[in-house]
Amino acid sequence: QVQLAQSGGGLVQPGGSLRLSCAVSGTIVSRNFMAWYRQPPGKERTLVASIRESGFATYADSVKGRFTISRDNAKNTVYLQMNSLKPEDTAVYYCNAQQWPSNTWGQGTQVTVSS
């Protein structure tokens, strides 16, 4: 059974940085399409960043140049480094792992950007 355990997040001032972690069990992270999504209050969940099995990463336009997705194969963990945070980055962030037919979500973690 695939399980994703998220950590990180919290309250940060505009311009600050945070790193989210997603520890994966039950599968090998490098054999999955891994992604981070976010859901602001009252809005839909949207894709923030993804990393393919090949290591190729893609980003939403709103976070390009500020966020970096990465994975540590030895730790079987995926990260989202978030720099230059803005108030509009405030949301619940979710880790996602896809390896057909499995599609697994993390528990979500709150990120609040506010002064």
Side-chain angles (χ1 to χ4, degrees), residues 7-114:
S7 59
L11 175 63
V12 64
Q13 292 186 343
S17 298
L18 284 173
R19 188 178 78 159
L20 305 182
S21 299
C22 176
V24 180
S25 60
T27 187
I28 297 174
V29 67
S30 60
R31 295 180 182 177
N32 281 258
F33 173 88
M34 300 296 302
W36 288 95
Y37 287 75
R38 67 186 181 188
Q39 186 167 17
K43 296 185 179 181
E44 294 184 352
R45 190 176 300 186
T46 59
L47 179 65
V48 174
S50 65
I51 183 166
R52 295 189 175 277
E53 297 88 329
S54 64
F56 181 76
T58 59
Y59 299 90
D61 287 343
S62 59
V63 306
K64 279 181 182 177
R66 301 188 298 121
F67 289 13
T68 303
I69 187 171
S70 63
R71 69 184 184 211
D72 185 329
N73 293 339
K75 295 183 178 180
N76 217 38
T77 298
V78 175
Y79 303 96
L80 184 68
Q81 178 66 44
M82 305 183 291
N83 298 329
S84 302
L85 283 160
K86 304 175 180 180
E88 51 263 43
D89 294 319
T90 295
V92 177
Y93 285 71
Y94 295 92
C95 180
N96 175 254
Q98 297 178 30
Q99 184 183 25
W100 191 89
S102 174
N103 186 0
T104 306
W105 292 91
Q107 79 273 23
T109 186
Q110 178 69 44
V111 172
T112 302
V113 185
S114 175

